[in-house]
Each structure stands twice: as C-alpha cells, then as structure tokens.
C-alpha cells in the first residue's frame, strides 16, 4: 500500500490516529468567593427585574384560570338550590308570595352565573353564554316558568363543571407530558457546589448531575460514565450509555452515576426551554376549523339575538299574542351561543397533541395538527429518514494512490462538512493536515472543493467531476460513490453505503392504510442506488440525482398540483432541507433532538429517529379531526333544530335548555376519547 504523503508537504500521521478530535477546553481558573457571589447576585437581580410573565403567557394563564379544579361548593350549591326548589314546589303558596319564594333557589343557583356574565362583559365580551343564559332565565321567570328558569341556571352550572373537568383533564395530560422543566442546577464554584436556578448558569460553567436528577442545561460531559434516559423528550425510548465527550441535552434524566457537564448553552437557548416555548405557544396557532368557528360565532350569536328580538316584537303586532311570542323568543335566545363547538374543538386538539407528545412527537400548533390530518402526500428525503443517515465506507478503489492515502485526502477535504457522507469519511480516516491548513467550499448537490498544500482537491459525486471536465470510472459495485481528484487528475473513488431504517417498510404501509394516497422519495443519490430502495418500499414516485433546488422544485410542483383540502407533508432530517420544510404544507423532521434547524424550520418534530412514530402521529391527527367533525356536526344539527322548533313554538324552554346543555356535555366528553389510545 502506497502511504506517500510527502507530495502534499506534510508528515505522515501516526498509525494510532483513527478519529479527529478537538482539544479539550482548559478548566477555568477558580474565582474568588466574593466575585462568584457578586456574579450570581447580579444575575438573579437581572432575572427578577424581567417582566415575570410575557403578555401571551398572561392571557394563557387567564384562560386556564377559568378551568379551575372542582370544589365541594360546585356540587353543593346546585344541589341546595334544587332541594329548596323541590320543597317550595309543594308548598301551599300562591300569587306574589310564591314568586318571591322561588327567587330564593333561583338566586342561589344563578348568583355565580350572573357574576361570570358581568366578568365577561368587563373583559369586553358582551355576547357570552353566561349573559345569554341569564337573560333567557329572567325571561322564563317573568313568564311564570319558574322550573325552566331554575333549570337554565342549574344546567349552566353543570355544563361549567363538566367543561372545567374535561378541559383540565385534557390540558393536564398535555402539561404532564411536557413537565420537563428543571428546578435547579448544581454549579461548581470556588466555594463548592452551589444549587441555583438554571436561569443563573452561564455558558462555560461546570454543573454536576447526580443519579436520578434531571439534566438542567445543554452541554458536553467532561467527566463520568453513566446512562441517561431521554424518554422525557423523545417518548418511549431506551436508555443511552454515555461518557466524556457526549453532548447531553437538558430535560433528560441521569440514571446510574454522577457526571460533570460543561454548559454550552444558556437556559433560554437550551433544548428544554425551546420545547416548553413551543408547547406553550402551540394553542395560539389556531386550526382552520377553529377560525371558521370563531367567525361563525362572531356573526351567529348577534344574528340569533336580533332574531329573538324580532320574534318577540313583530308577530304580536299582528296577532296580539305577546306572552306566547315572548316565550318563543326566550327559547330562541337560550340556544344562541355555539358553546359546544367553541369548547370541544380546542379540547380535541389538545388531546390529539397530547397523544403525539406521549409518543415523542411535538406538534407546534393546532393548525399543523390539522394539516397533518389532511396530508395525503408524503415526501421523504431519503438520507436520515428512510435510511439511517449513518454512512459507512464499504470499499476503496484508488487510482495511482494507496487506499489509506485516498481516504486521508477525502477526509481532509470534507473536514468542515456536516453531510453524513463527510462524517463517514472522517470516521474511516484521520485528516492528513491540521484544520487551519485546509480551505474548502461546499458545492451543493455535488461535493466539496478544497485546497491542501497548494493542491486543488475535488471530492464528490460524478457530476462534480463532469462539471470540471475530469474523467472517472463507473463503480462496479452497489453503493454511493465518492470520487476524488487531485489537481484535475482522477485518483479513484470510495464506496459508502447507508442502511435502510428499521421499521421503514411497516411505517409506510401503515400510513397507506390510514389513507395516505401518495408517497414520494427524493434523493441526491444516483438512480442505480435509489431505485432498489424505492422499489422495495413501494414508493409511488422516485426522483434521484437531485440538487437541493431541484428537490424544492419537486415539492413545489406537488403542492401546486394537489387537489381538494389534501396537503403535502415533507419529512427530512432538518440539516440541509430548511427551504423545503418551510415550503411544504407541513414540514416534519426526524431526529429533532439537538438539531437547531429542526426547531426553527419544522412544523412537527419527531424527537428521536424512529420512523414508526410517523404513522402514530398521523393516526392521532386523523382521529382528532374525526372527533372535531363529530362535535361540530352534532352541535350544528342540534342548534338549528332547536332554533327552528323554538321559532315555531314546538320546543318548551326547559327542553331547549336540557338539549342544548346535553350537546355541550356530550361534545366535551367525546373530545376526551383519544386519551391513551395510541402507543408506539
């Protein structure tokens, strides 16, 4: 084997060198105790001086405050009102005395409802379900329908209790799954280990994590061998054995032994903070269904109230039946708020997102859950999604060089590249020069051009050599060929291969069963490598030898030619496909943990690299959409039936109140059906 490195003006590397490693940072010098205390005191003052809750979080807290935990009072007050009413019903009273006595249970049941109506008016929501219920009950009481008036108040309170319970349960499930916020960090200082809030820790600080503790910040392990549990971030997963040099992510749990970590990100930029921010902001990204319901409610309630006024005033002018039409108007008013839809639809989306999070899939917003439910075309980037994305060198075919020299040249030229093939080359051989002696540029879709010791090095696919007028040999074996040329002279090629991801076939078939009509694979590999894989997995469309801009054009074509409400989902690894992720109707990233590009550009994050989680997320999204349609359909049918019946005088006010409240309760309970339904 020819090992002549002198042609590049360098010395031959040691035989023992197998991988390229950066030098470990020196330990920071110990700081005086006074400066350490002053540093943390100043940082604490800075954090305390911030606005405690941003405006968006304040509104979210006000919204959640409505859905408080149920108390004894919530059950005792309606029960007391009902018992008093039953006793008075059989009391031998009449006239105005009977009316006054019935005011007692009415005010017991309706006082909180009246307060709620006034609070909503103060919050600039004059047309709310509480006010409408109060007005309808007052009208019923004035007409002598005491039972109906009390029933309206009681049913409103029961609906509120069911609403609080179901919404709390759905959101609590989601919140528990996202309960990954670290409470403290053990920072090593000159005076010893100091337990502080993660917000106070600086980049470069050393933190100690004991067994059983949650890792509070992102960083590199500098001391210790342990096992960490990533399930809080990635759903159900196996524990991972780690040692010094491994990058640990915040939110994971240390299991077996103490470790020391050098922090490389502040808490605000840490993995756990970014995940929590996405989870908190996801309800703000409303679905199309929610927006339609909001528009519907905006015009529906005022229109129904106006219609109720017309029913009460216009017909009696001609027939003189004022009490009859006032009764019909009260019933009409009773059913004017679309509560079943406005409450049950967001709850259903919360439950669906909770099911996805439980399986390690984080969806950034309700609209993306809806887009995933409607996705009938899935486009996959081959490397890192269909395949593992972990290339290994399988064969080396040098021309005029030794195998080791060819690998060394290729590894050096690819020193700065983040491409999976570049990592495979660096793992196969150590670079032959230091990093500062290499200048390189990436050529998208082709490879790299580097300069080493004054010589031009081209490392990439056949298209790169063809563009530069350099002849090359066609590989005789299967695999991805990496061609190498030095000063325009062909020096051979290296074959690398990538394994099919475990469970890929089953995942794709499962998605087709769920209604995905078209699957597409895009790759920059040559057709001879991509075709067997595409045939094995039954892809409907395959595009090979694509440049990044050509992949984007392919996705753009699919989006432009889609029909109906179907959407196009793109699945990538988040490294080199940011433009496509942003262009697709819904962008999905596999293996999102630790990938900054994924958090910034993707709509859905599959935290680990298990492709089997994709069909689970699709199933959860589609079931959620089914529940939303069921709730919306039930609410609309019941609403318009009650409106028509009340306008014609066929529906008593008590029956209208009971049916309308029953629809709300059924819709809320139906929204909880998805809890715990899907497991990996």
């Amino acid at each position: 084997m020819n090992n002549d490195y002198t042609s590049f003006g360098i010395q031959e590397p040691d035989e023992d060198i197998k991988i390229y490693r950066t030098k470990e940072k020196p330990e920071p010098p110990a700081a005086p105790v006074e400066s350490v205390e002053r540093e943390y005191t100043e940082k604490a003052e800075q954090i305390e001086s911030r606005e405690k809750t941003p405006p968006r979080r304040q509104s979210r807290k006000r919204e959640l405050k409505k859905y408080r935990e149920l108390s004894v009072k919530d059950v005792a007050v309606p029960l007391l009102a009902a018992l008093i009413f039953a006793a008075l019903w059989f009391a031998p009273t009449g006239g105005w005395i009977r009316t006054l006595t019935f005011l007692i249970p009415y005010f017991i049941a309706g006082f909180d409802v009246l307060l709620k109506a006034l609070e909503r008016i103060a919050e600039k929501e004059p047309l709310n379900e509480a006010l409408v219920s109060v007005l309808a009950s007052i009208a019923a009481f004035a007409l002598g329908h005491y039972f109906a008036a009390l029933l309206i108040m009681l049913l409103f309170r029961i609906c509120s209790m069911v609403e609080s319970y179901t919404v709390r349960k759905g959101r609590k499930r989601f919140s528990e799954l996202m309960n990954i916020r670290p409470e403290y960090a053990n920072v090593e200082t000159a005076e010893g280990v100091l337990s502080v809030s993660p917000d106070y820790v600086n980049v470069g600080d050393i933190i100690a994590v004991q067994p059983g503790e949650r890792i509070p910040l992102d960083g590199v392990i500098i001391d210790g061998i342990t096992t960490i549990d990533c399930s809080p971030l990635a759903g159900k997963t196996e524990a991972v054995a780690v040692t010094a040099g491994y990058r640990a992510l915040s939110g994971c749990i240390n299991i077996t032994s103490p470790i020391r970590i050098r922090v490389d990100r502040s808490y605000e930029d840490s993995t756990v903070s970014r995940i929590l921010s996405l989870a908190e902001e996801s309800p703000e990204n409303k679905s199309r269904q929610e927006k339609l319901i909001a528009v519907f409610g905006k015009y529906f309630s005022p229109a129904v109230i106006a219609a109720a006024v017309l029913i009460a005033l216009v017909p009696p002018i001609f027939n003189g039946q004022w009490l009859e039409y006032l009764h019909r108007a009260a019933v009409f008013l009773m059913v004017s708020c679309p509560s079943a839809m406005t409450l049950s639809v967001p709850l259903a989306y919360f439950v669906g997102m909770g099911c996805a999070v439980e399986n390690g899939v984080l969806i950034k917003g309700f609209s993306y859950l809806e887009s995933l439910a409607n996705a009938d075309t899935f486009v996959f980037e081959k490397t890192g999604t269909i395949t593992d994305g972990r290339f290994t060198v399988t064969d080396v075919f040098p021309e005029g060089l030794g195998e080791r020299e060819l690998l060394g040249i290729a590894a050096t030229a690819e020193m700065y590249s983040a491409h999976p093939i570049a990592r495979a080359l660096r793992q196969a051989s150590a670079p032959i020069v230091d990093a500062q002696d290499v200048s390189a540029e990436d050529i998208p879709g082709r490879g790299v051009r580097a300069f080493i010791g004054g010589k031009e090095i081209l490392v990439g696919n056949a298209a790169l050599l063809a563009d530069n007028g350099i002849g090359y040999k066609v590989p005789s074996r299967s695999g991805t060929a990496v061609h190498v040329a030095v000063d325009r002279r062909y020096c051979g090629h290296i074959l690398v291969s990538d394994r099919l991801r475990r469970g890929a076939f089953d995942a794709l078939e499962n998605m087709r069963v769920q209604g995905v009509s078209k699957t597409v694979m895009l790759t920059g590999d040559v057709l001879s490598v991509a075709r067997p894989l595409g045939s094995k997995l039954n892809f409907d469309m395959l595009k090979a030898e694509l440049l990044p801009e050509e992949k984007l054009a392919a996705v753009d074509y699919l989006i432009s030619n889609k029909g109906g409400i179907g959407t196009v989902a793109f699945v990538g690894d988040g490294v080199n496909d940011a433009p496509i992720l942003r262009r697709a109707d819904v962008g999905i990233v596999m293996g999102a943990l630790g990938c900054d590009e994924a958090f910034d550009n993707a709509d859905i994050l599959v935290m680990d690299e298990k492709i089997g989680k994709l069909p689970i997320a699709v199933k959860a999204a589609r079931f959620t959409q089914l529940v939303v349609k069921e709730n919306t359909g039930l609410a609309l049918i019941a609403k318009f039936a009650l409106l028509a019946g009340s306008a014609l005088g066929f529906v008593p006010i008590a029956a209208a109140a009971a049916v309308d409240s029953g629809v709300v309760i059924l819709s809320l309970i139906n929204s909880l059906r998805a809890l715990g339904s899907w497991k990996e």
Side-chain angles (χ1 to χ4, degrees), residues 409-479:
I409 294 170
T412 305
E414 296 276 14
M415 185 179 297
Y416 298 106
S417 176
H419 196 280
I421 291 179
R423 288 197 293 268
L425 295 173
R426 292 196 296 269
Q427 289 173 357
S429 175
I432 57 178
V433 298
D434 291 333
Q436 60 268 23
D437 297 327
V438 179
S439 62
E441 63 169 331
D442 278 320
I443 304 175
R446 296 292 193 263
V448 299
R449 174 184 284 108
F451 292 90
I452 306 173
K455 295 182 179 295
E456 181 191 44
I457 311 297
L458 296 175
V459 180
N461 56 24
L464 176 65
L465 270 63
D467 291 346
N468 288 272
I470 302 172
Y472 59 90
K473 286 189 176 182
V474 177
S476 58
R477 300 184 186 181
S478 61

Side-chain angles (χ1 to χ4, degrees), residues 117 120-121 124-132 135 297-303 305 333 336-338:
R120 298 287 292 275
I121 292 173
K124 299 181 180 180
E125 296 182 38
L127 296 178
N128 58 81
E129 63 274 12
L131 178 62
V132 171
L135 294 177
K298 181 179 178 181
Y299 296 103
F300 176 78
S301 294
I305 292 174
L333 187 66
S336 64
C337 286

